[in-house]
Every structure is written in structure tokens, then in C-alpha cells.
Amino acid sequence: MKLNVARKDGILIITPQVKRIDANVASDFKSKLIDFLDNGDKIIVINLSKVDFIDSSGLGAMVLILRKIGTDGRIKLCKLKEGVSSIFELTRLDEVFEIHKSEEGALESLKTG
Amino acid sequence: MKLNVARKDGILIITPQVKRIDANVASDFKSKLIDFLDNGDKIIVINLSKVDFIDSSGLGAMVLILRKIGTDGRIKLCKLKEGVSSIFELTRLDEVFEIHKSEEGALESLKTG
Amino acid sequence: MAGESGELMEEIRLTFPRKVAYLRFATSISKQICQQIEECREDKSFASDVELCVSEACTNAIKYGRSGEMEDVISLYFQIFADKLVIKVQDKGSGFNLNNLPDPDIESLPDRGYGLYIIRSKMDDVQYTHTEEGNFLTMIKFFKGDFNV
Amino acid sequence: MAGESGELMEEIRLTFPRKVAYLRFATSISKQICQQIEECREDKSFASDVELCVSEACTNAIKYGRSGEMEDVISLYFQIFADKLVIKVQDKGSGFNLNNLPDPDIESLPDRGYGLYIIRSKMDDVQYTHTEEGNFLTMIKFFKGDFNV
Ligand SMILES: Nc1ncnc2c1ncn2[C@@H]1O[C@H](COP(=O)(O)OP(=O)(O)O)[C@@H](O)[C@H]1O
Ligand SMILES: Nc1ncnc2c1ncn2[C@@H]1O[C@H](COP(=O)(O)OP(=O)(O)O)[C@@H](O)[C@H]1O
């Protein structure tokens, strides 16, 4: 799975370059995220602006990362499209993840908070 | 099937607003073209710029119109995409239809010729 | 699309290898079918709900439906009725008990177990049957405006 | 995609009502399958040639394949081999004689009869069989780089 990766003030910004995060790419997504954690990244913003479709395989990958980061680090999601956002709500994962409208908002909240 | 219709100096310019001319739309296309002939149109330019895919059903519709017009009128095709153009060549219908690169070219040739 | 309620009007079947790479065949045909049905086009979320559930159900069939047979395949049936769309996903695995599944417990941050919860939330009815021909997960969604059991 | 020449690797089956509205289901799955096969992606015209032939063959199956049965359906099989793609279109009509078909005579401006001419031009081999299960038009196209019969 293609990811765009940027770093700003020690924050890792990951923007998946795919329209769909389903079982076809989820395990690759998961292992790429784990690689970042293993390399010491602890503050991560995932920008989902390119993603039209996510299902439980994609959700599972992100929850695993959230659990792995634990209290050591922080993770924020941003730029969820309507369909994606509604699945976070349905599964109540919107209560578990910190979700921001814009990437700037996510970054700002990590600096101030 | 949606068609854009324009008239310039007595020439009817038809631009199908579909990506595919297959059996799903060919009979509708055919009957719409026949309506124009029945209403007295005799000089027709068909602009295929929107069409990515055509198969024998679409070709058949156009040959029928060509035959119906006969020596009474004229028909020109223009702006064929590569895939469409290659099927005209394969069936040798490129020898039967007058095909122009641009709409202007087709119109010009009808005025001068 | 006219016809009495309860009357099967059309069926589309897709059979594909039990491999995750084919998941998108299933979801893309699901989208096309919903486009085809006028009743769905009026209900904006119908197609996306169905696509999501087809993705979940086929993912499970691919993950858990190992048959041991040479030809390890998944079949997907779309049955268009006057009042509803019925989707069946068939695998040849050892099956499971749909009624024993708890909803995911969000507090414990599970990274799995959301699939059937999503399916149950989005569909009007979900059934599971184990037959000689394999396991069938049957998902039913009524068109809007019709009665909703 | 590795494997010995001649070995069937994957099969995808689509069954749909004998209606022209479903033609696009057939062509869209054809496109997706060619995308899936690495050997096709290197050959730019492979996918578009296959799509065209699938459209022609399914159009014929829809036009001429009336079965008289309640469930009047067309089936489409894509069989991926190491060296080729085999496509079968099944209908339950009364069939025809493939070998008796003349190429279209362009001089007389025929408005039909191009379908099988196109299929024969684009495919490496075309066969037609009439069985108890119906009629099968079998179209074979080799991946580039492999031998071409
Ligand atoms: N087609 C199937 N065959 C066998 N077991 C299944 C099937 N679908 C689901 N299951 C069982 O139901 C459980 C819950 O499925 P699901 O809610 O989709 O979550 P997950 O697959 O992430 O565990 C699975 O863990 C599996 O044990
Ligand atoms: N699936 C089929 N079942 C019965 N007859 C067929 C079938 N496909 C083709 N034919 C016959 O072969 C003829 C030639 O087909 P084709 O080249 O596609 O041109 P067209 O359909 O325009 O006539 C048809 O007119 C029909 O008689």
C-alpha cells in the first residue's frame, strides 16, 4: 500500500495513497505502521483524505496501532470523508480515536495539548 | 442515449454523450438518428469525442444510417479516440465512412466538397 | 423494476477464487447492481451500505472459508426482489455460530470482531445456514418506502 | 502468477440475466480480470481486446441465446492459465454453426455480422461447442511473449 510520509516538528504524518482500505491492503498497512512504531515514531497523524472506503479490516489495522502506541505516544486521524467517518461512528471508534477535520487542526492539537 | 445536437449552416452535428456505444444503447442511438433523417436532415457530422468504447452494435447503427442516407446526403465522423478508430480499421469501415480528426475539419470538408 | 413483493426478479451470481485479491470484484459488482436497481438509486446510502456488507462478508468467507477442496471458491448471489435485495455469500469452510457472536467491546480496543456487527447494523435481516453445498450468509435489505421488517 | 503452461490457475464465473442491461457487468469484470493478471498489464491492448470480444460474445448470447426456461441466464467464465486467458460464454439457445459464417462483405454495407469477425480477429483461437449444458463460445488469448498458435 502506497503511503505518503512527511515529518513536521517530530510528528509523523501518514497519508495513505489508496481509495480503499480493505482486507486487500490492511495487513500491508498494518505492518508499515508497525515499522514506524518500531523505528521510534510515537506521534502520528493519519490523513485519510484520499480514502473513500474503509471496512473492518482497515479499522482493525488502525485500532491495533492505537493499542500498540498506548500511553507512550499519540495518534490522530484527520480529513475523513463522509463514508469513512460514518463507519467510525457506527463502530463507536470515533469515541476512541481523536479525529480532526483538517491536518492543521490535528497538528495544532498535538503541539498545544 | 443522450445526444448533444447542434446545427451549423444546415449541417447537423451530433455528439453522443456516452462513453460506450454497445448493444445497451445502440438501438436507441439508431432510432434517434433515424428520426433526424425522417425530419429531413441529410448532412450529418457525428462527433465521437466522448466515446471510449464502441462494438459491432454501435458500428451497425452507424452503417445503417449511412445506408439510409445513401446518395441523398452525406455523413462524416470526427474525433474518434484511438480504441474506436482501431475498430473502424479492423472492420474496414474506415474505408466506408469519411473520418476527420476535428469537427472543424469535418464541417469544412462538407462546405467545400 | 416492477413486480409483486416477494417475487424474485433477477439473480446475478459471481464465483471467484478464495483470495483476498478478488475482494474488489465482489464490491465492484455490488456497486453496479445497486446502480442498476432504480429503488436503490433513490436511497443514497443503499449502495454504500451494501458494498460495505459485501466487503465484510466476502472478507470473512475468504479468511475462514477454507474448504480443503482443490477448487477453493467463494460464491456471491445477488437476488433482486420487488421490495428487497437479498445477498448470499457462500463458502465451503467449517462454518460458525452466528448467534453466539457478541458485539465488539470498544473499551477493550479489539482490533477485530467488527465485521458482523457492521453487517447486522446495516442490513434489515441476517441469516446463516449450513447446508451440504456449503455455508450461506444471507443478508437482506429492503428498498426504502417498502415495509421494513 | 507462476505455473506451468497449460495449468489452470484461477477461474472466475459470472452468471446474469439474459438482458442487455447486464452487458456492462460482463465487460467491467473483464476489465478487472485483465488488471489482475500481470501478463496482461504489460500488453497494452490485451485488456481492451478482451473487453471488446466479451462485449461481442455476450451481446450474441443475449440476442440469440433464448432458452425458453424460466431462468434465462448467460454465464461467463474467465479461466486464467499460466500462458493464456480462456473466456467461455455460455447460453442455452438453439446454437449455430460457427464455421459457416462468412466475413462481412463491406462493399454491400451490412449493418450486422461484424461480431464474430471481430472476435476471430482479436483472439488467438475461437471454438464453439454445443453440449447438454448449453452452447459455449470459447475464446483463447495468449499472453504476449508466450508462443502464439
Ligand atoms: N464465513 C465464516 N466462516 C467461519 N467463521 C466465520 C465466518 N464469518 C465469521 N466467522 C467467525 O465469526 C467471527 C466474527 O467475525 P467478524 O465480526 O467479521 O470479525 P473478525 O473476522 O474480525 O473476527 C470470526 O472471528 C470468525 O470466527
Ligand atoms: N450465441 C449465439 N447463438 C446463436 N446464434 C448465434 C450466436 N452468436 C452468433 N450467432 C449467429 O451468428 C451470426 C453472426 O453473428 P455476429 O457476427 O456477431 O453478427 P450479428 O449478431 O450482428 O449478426 C448471427 O447473426 C447469429 O445468427
Side-chain angles (χ1 to χ4, degrees):
Chain A
M1 192 172 115
K2 243 197 112 199
L3 302 176
N4 255 9
V5 177
R7 275 198 176 77
K8 254 184 208 159
D9 311 321
I11 301 170
L12 179 70
I13 307 167
I14 294 176
T15 310
Q17 301 294 304
V18 293
K19 288 194 173 167
R20 308 176 68 83
I21 306 187
D22 57 13
N24 200 27
V25 299
S27 60
D28 185 28
F29 183 41
K30 197 152 53 184
S31 70
K32 285 201 166 111
L33 286 172
I34 289 176
D35 283 348
F36 285 114
L37 299 194
D38 288 347
N39 286 330
D41 278 302
K42 284 183 171 154
I43 310 181
I44 302 181
V45 170
I46 301 179
N47 179 332
L48 293 172
S49 56
K50 295 270 161 70
V51 177
D52 294 328
F53 179 91
I54 192 166
D55 69 6
S56 69
S57 302
L59 295 178
M62 288 204 270
V63 174
L64 187 82
I65 296 311
L66 182 68
R67 228 168 51 206
K68 241 183 154 336
I69 282 193
T71 49
D72 272 14
R74 291 181 74 185
I75 188 164
K76 301 254 178 180
L77 310 183
C78 68
K79 300 207 82 176
L80 278 63
K81 293 194 181 180
E82 207 195 299
V84 172
S85 167
S86 77
I87 293 165
F88 275 87
E89 282 158 32
L90 175 66
T91 52
R92 291 182 47 211
L93 286 171
D94 62 329
E95 299 168 20
V96 164
F97 282 98
E98 295 176 74
I99 299 176
H100 291 262
K101 283 230 156 65
S102 68
E103 192 177 295
E104 296 72 34
L107 290 172
E108 206 51 52
S109 76
L110 283 167
K111 283 178 204 154
T112 58
Chain B
M1 189 172 116
K2 244 196 111 199
L3 302 175
N4 255 8
V5 177
R7 274 199 177 75
K8 252 184 209 160
D9 310 322
I11 301 170
L12 179 70
I13 307 167
I14 294 177
T15 311
Q17 301 294 302
V18 293
K19 289 195 172 166
R20 306 176 68 82
I21 307 188
D22 57 15
N24 200 28
V25 299
S27 59
D28 186 27
F29 183 41
K30 197 152 53 185
S31 70
K32 284 199 166 112
L33 286 172
I34 290 176
D35 283 350
F36 284 115
L37 299 195
D38 289 347
N39 285 330
D41 278 302
K42 284 184 173 149
I43 308 181
I44 302 181
V45 170
I46 302 180
N47 179 331
L48 293 173
S49 56
K50 296 271 162 70
V51 178
D52 294 327
F53 178 91
I54 193 165
D55 69 5
S56 69
S57 302
L59 295 178
M62 289 203 270
V63 175
L64 188 82
I65 296 311
L66 182 67
R67 229 169 48 207
K68 243 184 151 342
I69 281 193
T71 49
D72 271 15
R74 290 182 75 185
I75 187 164
K76 301 253 179 180
L77 310 184
C78 67
K79 300 206 84 176
L80 277 62
K81 293 194 181 180
E82 206 195 300
V84 173
S85 167
S86 77
I87 294 166
F88 275 86
E89 283 159 31
L90 175 66
T91 52
R92 292 183 45 212
L93 285 171
D94 62 330
E95 300 168 18
V96 164
F97 282 98
E98 296 175 73
I99 299 177
H100 291 262
K101 283 231 157 65
S102 68
E103 191 177 297
E104 296 72 34
L107 291 172
E108 205 51 50
S109 76
L110 284 168
K111 282 177 205 154
T112 57
Chain C
M1 301 279 155
E4 275 177 67
S5 153
E7 183 196 340
L8 174 61
M9 306 179 65
E10 328 229 292
E11 185 180 79
I12 298 97
R13 266 171 269 163
L14 179 71
T15 299
F16 55 91
R18 198 179 64 76
K19 292 185 180 171
V20 87
Y22 286 97
L23 190 56
R24 289 175 194 194
F25 286 61
T27 50
S28 113
I29 204 121
S30 152
K31 274 201 249 185
Q32 279 186 69
I33 285 166
C34 290
Q35 237 175 2
Q36 182 85 352
I37 309 171
E38 220 157 301
E39 285 83 355
C40 300
R41 269 181 267 153
E42 281 155 33
D43 179 353
K44 264 184 120 184
S45 65
F46 195 103
S48 56
D49 287 352
V50 169
E51 184 191 355
L52 179 60
C53 294
V54 165
S55 186
E56 299 294 354
C58 290
T59 297
N60 283 349
I62 293 166
K63 277 199 315 202
Y64 307 115
R66 178 178 219 112
S67 73
E69 283 169 40
M70 263 287 287
E71 200 204 24
D72 206 358
V73 296
I74 305 300
S75 290
L76 181 59
Y77 302 73
F78 293 90
Q79 300 174 328
I80 306 169
F81 290 81
D83 58 341
K84 61 182 174 286
L85 179 64
V86 175
I87 304 142
K88 294 186 181 174
V89 179
Q90 176 186 19
D91 68 49
K92 307 245 173 123
S94 42
F96 75 113
N97 191 337
L98 179 65
N99 301 315
N100 274 355
L101 283 186
D103 284 347
D105 168 31
I106 278 298
E107 321 298 311
S108 67
L109 283 184
D111 64 337
R112 43 181 296 184
Y114 299 99
L116 279 158
Y117 171 74
I118 289 174
I119 292 173
R120 280 173 163 154
S121 310
K122 293 290 188 185
M123 289 286 152
D124 293 317
D125 195 12
V126 184
Q127 294 159 12
Y128 189 80
T129 49
H130 183 87
T131 74
E132 284 218 339
E133 256 115 66
N135 309 299
F136 290 86
L137 183 77
T138 302
M139 307 185 282
I140 301 175
K141 196 166 174 74
F142 288 94
F143 303 131
K144 236 186 198 152
D146 285 317
F147 58 91
N148 200 311
V149 186
Chain D
M1 302 277 154
E4 277 176 65
S5 154
E7 181 194 342
L8 174 60
M9 308 180 64
E10 328 229 291
E11 184 180 78
I12 299 98
R13 267 171 269 164
L14 180 72
T15 300
F16 55 92
R18 198 180 63 77
K19 291 185 180 171
V20 87
Y22 287 97
L23 190 56
R24 289 174 194 195
F25 286 60
T27 50
S28 113
I29 204 121
S30 152
K31 275 200 249 185
Q32 278 185 71
I33 285 166
C34 291
Q35 238 174 3
Q36 183 85 352
I37 309 171
E38 220 157 300
E39 284 82 357
C40 301
R41 270 181 267 152
E42 280 154 34
D43 179 355
K44 264 184 121 184
S45 64
F46 195 102
S48 56
D49 286 352
V50 169
E51 184 191 355
L52 178 59
C53 293
V54 165
S55 187
E56 299 293 353
C58 290
T59 297
N60 283 350
I62 293 166
K63 277 200 314 202
Y64 307 115
R66 179 180 219 112
S67 74
E69 284 170 38
M70 264 286 287
E71 199 205 22
D72 207 356
V73 297
I74 306 299
S75 290
L76 182 57
Y77 302 73
F78 293 90
Q79 300 174 328
I80 306 170
F81 290 81
D83 58 340
K84 61 181 173 287
L85 179 64
V86 174
I87 304 142
K88 294 187 180 174
V89 179
Q90 176 186 21
D91 68 49
K92 307 243 174 127
S94 42
F96 74 112
N97 191 337
L98 180 64
N99 301 315
N100 274 354
L101 283 185
D103 284 348
D105 168 32
I106 278 299
E107 321 299 311
S108 66
L109 283 185
D111 65 337
R112 43 181 296 185
Y114 299 98
L116 279 159
Y117 171 73
I118 289 174
I119 291 174
R120 281 172 163 156
S121 310
K122 293 289 189 186
M123 289 286 152
D124 292 318
D125 195 12
V126 184
Q127 294 158 12
Y128 189 78
T129 50
H130 184 87
T131 74
E132 284 219 339
E133 256 114 67
N135 310 299
F136 290 87
L137 183 77
T138 301
M139 306 185 283
I140 300 176
K141 196 168 173 73
F142 288 95
F143 303 134
K144 237 186 196 151
D146 286 314
F147 59 91
N148 201 309
V149 186

